[in-house]
Structure formats: C-alpha cells, structure tokens
Amino acid sequence: MLAARLATALYVGWGLLHLIAARGIYDLASTVPEGLARARLEQGAWNLALFALQAMAVATLLNWHNNRIGYWLNIITVGVVDLLYVLLLIVPGYIPASLAAWAGPITYLIAATFSTAGFLRRDLPPPGH
C-alpha cells in the first residue's frame, strides 16, 4: 500500500507541475494577436489544466486505495500526455532538453513505477500473514 500512496503523491506533484505549465501557456496566448492561433493556445492551456486536475483527482480518489481503474487511468492518460509532450516539443527542440523540461516525464516514470509495484502487490497478503 505504501507504493500506491507514494505514486499518489507523485501524480499530485505531476498535476501541480502541469497546472503551472497550463498557466504559462495561457499567459503565452495573451501575447498572440486575437484569432485562431490565440484561441488554440488558450484551448491547449485549458486542456492541459484539465488533464492535470484529472490526474490529481484519480490519484487521490483511486490510486491512494490502489484501485485497478485508477491505476489504468493514470498510467495511460498521464503517459500519453507526457509522451506527446516529449515527441512534439522536446524532440524537435522547441523546448531545450533540460532537467526542468524533463521534470514532468521523470515524475510520471517514478509515479508509474511505484503505482505498478503497488498494483502488482495489491492481492498479496500483508507481511507476517
């Protein structure tokens, strides 16, 4: 159960990082003239904020209790969000590859590791039984 709770904390941290990123995208949108590009940046900011809130809600409501549905929701959703971030922003060089740029994907990988460890051990009896 400890592994699932550590994963929960990490997914909440991932969500907070992405709320900050969403705010940055929203602020960037205000520097773009009115039109489709600005609206798409604003939409992207809101989408990212919603993914962040979803990850935090799933973590606190489901991953904390080592729930099967919560495990798969965050493994897949957060994984896809970070994979696309890496492929669309870091790989082409739009965001320089730095520790700060990799903070989200690294947090996800550690959370997924703890979450998987908890998920695989959830049906085992507690130690000493």
Side-chain angles (χ1 to χ4, degrees):
M1 192 65 104
L2 176 62
R5 299 219 166 146
L6 289 170
T8 297
L10 288 160
Y11 280 129
V12 169
W14 183 94
L16 293 172
L17 285 172
H18 286 76
L19 286 175
I20 294 167
R23 178 56 193 244
I25 295 167
Y26 194 82
D27 290 345
L28 174 64
S30 70
T31 68
V32 174
E34 286 286 334
L36 180 60
R38 181 177 184 158
R40 292 306 301 248
L41 281 170
E42 289 172 343
Q43 178 190 21
W46 281 106
N47 287 346
L48 185 58
L50 288 174
F51 279 124
L53 292 172
Q54 179 265 326
M56 292 189 294
V58 167
T60 56
L61 297 173
L62 300 175
N63 294 132
W64 182 262
H65 302 289
N66 212 5
N67 177 277
R68 177 188 305 265
I69 293 171
Y71 170 79
W72 287 111
L73 280 172
N74 269 351
I75 283 288
I76 293 168
T77 304
V78 175
V80 169
V81 168
D82 273 349
L83 177 63
L84 292 173
Y85 164 73
V86 169
L87 293 176
L88 298 174
L89 297 172
I90 294 179
V91 170
Y94 299 123
I95 294 179
S98 66
L99 185 57
W102 285 96
I106 289 169
T107 302
Y108 164 72
L109 290 173
I110 298 169
T113 300
F114 279 116
S115 186
T116 299
F119 181 73
L120 293 174
R121 299 179 60 98
R122 76 185 198 298
D123 294 328
L124 298 176
H129 286 87

